[in-house]
Amino acid sequence: MSSPILEARGVHKHFGALHVLKGIDLAVAERELVFVIGPSGSGKSTLLRCLNRLEEPSSGAIIIDGIDLLDRRTDINHARRRIGMVFQSFNLYPHMTALGNVTLALRKVAGKRRAEADAIGGAALARVGLADRADHYPSQLSGGQQQRVAIARAIALEPRVMLFDEPTSALDPELVGGVLAVMRELRDSGMTMVVVSHEMGFARAAADRVLFMDDGLVVEAGTPAQIFTAPREERTRAFIGQIQRH
Amino acid sequence: MTFWDRFADTTFWDRFANTTSTSWDRFADTFLNTAVMAKYLPDIIDGFCLTVWLAALVVVTGIAAGLLLAVVRSLGVRPLNWLIIFIVDLFRALPPLVVIVLLYFGLPSAGFLPNAFATTWASLSLVLMAFAEEIFWAGITAVPRGQWEASRSTGLTFWQTLNSVVLPQAIRLTIPPLTNRTIAITKGTALGSVIGLSEILSQASSAMSLSFNPSPLMLGAAAYLILFLPVVVLGRWIETRFAWHR
């Protein structure tokens, strides 16, 4: 494996007395799609949120694109441009149009003029298939469309890594396909991605590696075929068995 | 005499008609005396202009100071927040009249010689500031955490997020309660009469003393209606307007 674009070393996270992450090591290569699965409360979302310092890790190191995120001298706002994040609940700005959502950071962080930001934002919306919804407010869009706008908002900044925190969990079943199609297209274009999700079909089809987390630790990692059909660990087998029964 | 007899007795009804007519004349002479009103109208107009000017100043400084305090409070610096909460609770608990009297009679011993206008302005501004801070703060905390996270994850700073994402949503939420509170406190300009500020009420009561007739009070009430009725109607319009856009 070439030198990783994203690396987490010995990441711990405490919430008061609660020890949520108990020493996570993770290296993601460029263009790799890493899928993180695990039971609720296993720490997978917390890990993802530590990777762009939305949660402050208690200890450990996180290096993205050669930048040490936990270094005091690192400008975190600058570094975050390289890390796109998509949330379970979309978190679109309700007082802005789809285009306004996508262009806010382009103007405020990347320093683009409005015309240039609109052009980039329009292209990002076209990429997620929503060019004709640029002037719509989030409340006028379906959940699936909102999530695609959220993806456009992240990719417009041309991040090196994209983090997805259960991007389809809040969606009605018929809307999941559109979001997964966009993620599939991103993956095919060579975007490095870390995805926390329960979409096992997508994991099988698109993931390079699957991590199974439980109780704050990575229990097992392997190819989708290995993890889903021949898990080595008992805990992994129990979890896979449970989710495949549905 | 039966009930019917009494009903049919016309002299019985004449008695009512007579009393009504004479007491109405007396009432009109006392409270709606046009000669007295005409004489003191210029004084009431002076008071009206002063009240408008004072009310406008109180609204601007009170709301601006309240917003500033709420923004400082959102920084989350503990000792600073305790201080803010103390000041805010103090001025929410004290009756505005007590603040006015305390400042007016207390400041000279502190070496300041306040005039009635500045004292009323400062007092009402402090009270409006306290209530506005609480309302703005409630609005800021009502904006979901996910809004902060989405914005910060795209690289916006704390201040950019507050300014572009959180405050526009928070202020929209606060418009209805803020409008009500602003109207309630601005009407407190009448309290300035206690320390000799020649606003509407003070002009009206001195006119009443000079003329031995309370008609100027009616003029004063009319002046308050002319001043505040449009504000109340404007407040209602703002409330409905902002309610639609949610």
Side-chain angles (χ1 to χ4, degrees):
Chain A
M1 190 161 96
S2 61
S3 82
I5 189 162
L6 184 164
E7 200 179 358
R9 276 189 242 126
V11 172
H12 285 260
K13 176 66 186 174
H14 298 264
F15 288 111
L18 205 63
H19 198 174
V20 183
L21 297 179
K22 300 175 177 170
I24 302 282
D25 294 302
L26 171 68
V28 182
E30 202 157 1
R31 306 172 77 88
E32 195 182 17
L33 193 160
V34 174
F35 217 82
V36 184
I37 60 172
S40 161
S42 58
K44 49 195 197 307
S45 280
T46 306
L47 171 64
L48 210 62
R49 295 158 57 82
C50 280
L51 293 180
N52 69 351
R53 260 180 72 185
L54 277 186
E55 297 292 354
E56 201 71 36
S58 307
S59 64
I62 290 164
I63 292 138
I64 289 194
D65 203 13
I67 301 167
D68 183 351
L69 281 199
L70 304 184
D71 191 323
R72 289 194 166 278
R73 284 162 298 182
T74 300
D75 177 357
I76 186 66
N77 298 313
H78 190 73
R80 278 182 178 142
R81 273 181 64 191
R82 295 159 194 252
I83 316 161
M85 185 149 190
V86 174
F87 301 85
Q88 179 177 358
S89 48
F90 329 136
N91 298 348
L92 291 184
Y93 315 132
H95 59 300
M96 295 182 189
T97 62
L99 188 64
N101 268 273
V102 177
T103 54
L104 180 68
L106 286 169
R107 292 190 287 118
K108 302 280 174 186
V109 184
K112 309 268 189 224
R113 291 175 182 284
R114 184 176 283 273
E116 195 187 352
D118 283 355
I120 297 170
L125 282 174
R127 196 168 165 194
V128 299
L130 292 173
D132 56 336
R133 296 286 188 274
D135 296 330
H136 286 55
Y137 284 87
S139 60
Q140 300 167 312
L141 299 171
S142 74
Q145 290 171 333
Q146 289 189 50
Q147 192 60 299
R148 281 147 67 194
V149 172
I151 294 174
R153 175 171 68 184
I155 62 176
L157 292 161
E158 300 186 339
R160 303 298 311 276
V161 180
M162 284 282 288
L163 310 174
F164 290 84
D165 188 5
E166 307 207 19
T168 56
S169 302
L171 294 177
D172 290 335
E174 77 273 19
L175 302 175
V176 170
V179 171
L180 291 183
V182 168
M183 290 171 66
R184 194 61 178 271
E185 188 272 324
L186 267 184
R187 195 259 176 295
D188 292 342
S189 74
M191 178 67 78
T192 310
M193 295 158 73
V194 180
V195 182
V196 170
S197 168
H198 298 294
E199 298 291 340
M200 298 305 155
F202 180 75
R204 280 173 193 274
D208 295 300
R209 239 182 336 145
V210 177
L211 261 59
F212 172 68
M213 277 184 73
D214 192 18
D215 198 24
L217 285 167
V218 176
V219 175
E220 188 172 356
T223 63
Q226 187 251 307
I227 294 287
F228 291 128
T229 55
R232 281 188 300 267
E233 299 288 331
E234 183 51 42
R235 276 190 283 178
T236 319
R237 200 171 306 137
F239 179 73
I240 301 286
Q242 262 175 353
I243 53 173
Q244 283 179 341
R245 225 173 290 139
H246 296 297
Chain B
M1 211 190 239
T2 65
F3 173 78
W4 178 247
D5 288 336
R6 193 178 289 161
F7 189 78
D9 178 6
T10 48
T11 55
F12 175 79
W13 292 106
D14 284 346
R15 197 167 60 206
F16 273 103
N18 282 336
T19 16
T20 314
S21 127
T22 51
S23 53
W24 168 253
D25 287 342
R26 209 182 309 142
F27 175 83
D29 185 54
T30 313
F31 288 97
L32 300 169
N33 190 318
T34 45
V36 174
M37 282 184 172
K39 186 175 175 198
Y40 291 101
L41 185 63
D43 290 349
I44 301 289
I45 289 175
D46 282 351
F48 179 82
C49 294
L50 186 116
T51 304
V52 170
W53 176 225
L54 177 62
L57 279 178
V58 166
V59 169
V60 171
T61 49
I63 289 179
L67 182 59
L68 185 72
L69 282 191
V71 165
V72 171
R73 192 169 168 187
S74 71
L75 285 173
V77 183
R78 279 270 173 81
L80 213 54
N81 286 4
W82 290 333
L83 183 68
I84 291 172
I85 291 167
F86 173 75
I87 292 172
V88 163
D89 284 357
L90 186 72
F91 284 107
R92 290 200 305 162
L94 283 173
L97 182 57
V98 173
V99 180
I100 291 174
V101 172
L102 271 180
L103 280 186
Y104 192 69
F105 295 107
L107 281 181
S109 47
F112 296 100
L113 277 181
N115 62 40
F117 185 88
T119 305
T120 313
W121 173 30
S123 305
L124 295 180
S125 291
L126 285 169
V127 174
L128 181 55
M129 170 192 80
F131 281 98
E133 190 280 337
E134 278 302 295
I135 293 170
F136 282 128
W137 175 245
I140 289 174
T141 52
V143 174
R145 221 171 103 96
Q147 294 289 311
W148 285 96
E149 293 181 343
S151 173
R152 297 304 304 274
S153 78
T154 56
L156 269 77
T157 63
F158 174 89
W159 292 111
Q160 287 174 324
T161 301
L162 190 71
N163 186 40
S164 299
V165 175
V166 176
L167 280 185
Q169 297 181 55
I171 288 173
R172 187 159 292 184
L173 292 171
T174 57
I175 293 270
L178 193 61
T179 310
N180 279 328
R181 187 52 73 175
T182 302
I183 291 168
I185 291 170
T186 316
K187 281 191 296 190
T189 47
L191 297 172
S193 59
V194 171
I195 53 171
L197 179 68
S198 38
E199 47 71 64
I200 298 173
L201 180 61
S202 162
Q203 295 281 16
S205 42
S206 55
M208 182 173 74
S209 314
L210 292 172
S211 63
F212 304 108
N213 184 299
S215 294
L217 271 185
M218 297 300 275
L219 216 48
Y224 277 116
L225 279 183
I226 290 169
L227 173 53
F228 283 109
L229 212 51
V231 180
V232 172
V233 171
L234 180 74
R236 177 164 304 168
W237 179 78
I238 290 173
E239 279 175 34
T240 47
R241 207 194 107 88
F242 278 87
W244 291 336
H245 276 260
R246 283 291 298 166

